[in-house]
Amino acid sequence: MEEKSLNWRDKLHEIIYEADTPAGRLFDIVLLFAILASIILVMLESVDSFDKKHHTFLYISEWIITILFSIEYILRIISINKPTKYIFSFYGIIDFLSTVPMYFTFFFVGSHSSLIALRALRLLRVFRILKVSRYIGESNQLIKALNASKAKIGVFLYFVLIICIILGSIMYFIEGAENGFTSIPRSIYWSIVTLTTVGYGDIAPQTALGQFIASITVIIGYAIIAIPTGIVSSEMTKKKVDLNTQSCSNCSYEGHKDDAEFCYHCGTKLN
């Protein structure tokens, strides 16, 4: 009896947490389409004319998807030995936040202030789009590469911040308040907008020297765009090893090599 229970639980874990099997792939595809459908429903619901015309359809459809995600959330909890590892993980929190808003509709009714709060809670359903990355295998490689290169990216951002402060301070003294550079913080805002090549146009240098520095700033901005891309690409090349989607049934840790027999995180034997 104990062996049957374990086999059933392991099979459920394999379907929900892994995508190397036909059942696992089917589960991921169904959930992916459900997430995308839910995001479309949220967008359509924000269009007042469409919501007034098809409110009942949107409401029923959202409840169907919410129930589906609720079942998925419960199955994920019962299919691992340490449920708290999933509940308090990034995806666990996202799953919870993207599911509960519809249930709050039972409590927020009857007053104008409650309806305002309800509209804010309904926005939490947009978090479902973050669930999409779970079903895209390459996203795990990207997340690992970003995590491995966070120190380099941090140093790079610190360097960019220094450049923005220096350029903003220079432009404040060159242009002055008469040309819109009323303070150093506002000038730093201009340097950030210019360095990122966004250029809102709400502040613009008027003097020849200021325009020359602005031109240099834009060129620097184009040059630094490639730096974070190179950092992450380098890490992704290093991380390009034979990994599968197998997830530990004990701690739900992912990213094991194809020939791994035990979990790298907790040591539990993999299925």
Side-chain angles (χ1 to χ4, degrees), residues 69-83:
F69 286 149
S70 300
I71 295 173
E72 179 216 4
Y73 184 75
I74 294 171
L75 291 178
R76 286 186 180 277
I77 291 175
I78 65 176
S79 63
I80 56 176
N81 296 331
K82 295 181 179 179

Side-chain angles (χ1 to χ4, degrees), residues 110-146:
S111 68
H112 180 66
S113 59
S114 295
L115 291 175
I116 294 175
L118 176 59
R119 287 182 66 87
L121 286 170
R122 282 161 59 186
L123 292 176
L124 290 176
R125 288 179 294 173
V126 176
F127 277 109
R128 287 175 187 165
I129 201 167
L130 296 178
K131 288 158 62 77
V132 173
S133 62
R134 175 190 290 153
Y135 306 105
I136 304 175
E138 291 300 319
S139 67
N140 293 328
Q141 296 291 339
L142 178 59
I143 292 171
K144 291 178 185 296
L146 288 173

Side-chain angles (χ1 to χ4, degrees), residues 155-166:
V155 172
F156 166 74
L157 292 176
Y158 179 69
F159 177 71
V160 171
L161 179 61
I162 291 174
I163 293 178
C164 289
I165 292 173
I166 293 174

Side-chain angles (χ1 to χ4, degrees), residues 25-238:
R25 281 193 293 271
L26 177 61
F27 179 85
D28 287 354
I29 291 171
V30 171
L31 261 297
L32 179 60
F33 276 105
I35 293 167
L36 296 177
S38 175
I39 296 302
I40 293 172
L41 288 174
V42 172
M43 292 179 179
L44 292 175
E45 195 175 14
S46 67
V47 181
D48 290 336
S49 58
F50 190 91
D51 182 53
K52 288 178 181 178
K53 190 174 181 181
H54 304 283
H55 179 75
T56 302
F57 168 76
L58 293 174
Y59 185 75
I60 294 174
S61 299
E62 183 55 39
W63 264 115
I64 292 173
I65 292 177
T66 297
I67 292 172
L68 178 64
F69 286 149
S70 300
I71 295 173
E72 179 216 4
Y73 184 75
I74 294 171
L75 291 178
R76 286 186 180 277
I77 291 175
I78 65 176
S79 63
I80 56 176
N81 296 331
K82 295 181 179 179
T84 54
K85 291 286 185 180
Y86 163 71
I87 293 173
F88 296 105
S89 67
F90 171 77
Y91 284 123
I93 294 172
I94 292 301
D95 290 350
F96 179 77
L97 290 177
S98 61
T99 303
V100 294
M102 284 300 292
Y103 294 107
F104 276 110
T105 59
F106 290 117
F107 306 101
F108 290 91
V109 290
S111 68
H112 180 66
S113 59
S114 295
L115 291 175
I116 294 175
L118 176 59
R119 287 182 66 87
L121 286 170
R122 282 161 59 186
L123 292 176
L124 290 176
R125 288 179 294 173
V126 176
F127 277 109
R128 287 175 187 165
I129 201 167
L130 296 178
K131 288 158 62 77
V132 173
S133 62
R134 175 190 290 153
Y135 306 105
I136 304 175
E138 291 300 319
S139 67
N140 293 328
Q141 296 291 339
L142 178 59
I143 292 171
K144 291 178 185 296
L146 288 173
N147 186 57
S149 57
K150 61 184 178 183
K152 296 177 183 177
I153 293 177
V155 172
F156 166 74
L157 292 176
Y158 179 69
F159 177 71
V160 171
L161 179 61
I162 291 174
I163 293 178
C164 289
I165 292 173
I166 293 174
L167 290 173
S169 300
I170 292 174
M171 291 299 289
Y172 170 72
F173 289 111
I174 292 176
E175 294 293 327
E178 63 274 11
N179 292 326
F181 295 81
T182 54
S183 65
I184 291 180
R186 185 166 175 78
S187 300
I188 292 173
Y189 154 77
W190 169 88
S191 67
I192 292 173
V193 170
T194 306
L195 195 68
T196 55
T197 69
V198 176
Y200 293 127
D202 51 345
I203 309 175
Q206 303 300 319
T207 66
L209 181 57
Q211 291 171 352
F212 173 76
I213 294 176
S215 301
I216 298 298
T217 304
V218 173
I219 293 173
I220 293 174
Y222 277 113
I224 66 176
I225 287 174
I227 296 177
T229 306
I231 293 173
V232 176
S233 298
S234 175
E235 291 297 332
M236 288 190 71
T237 302
K238 293 178 183 177

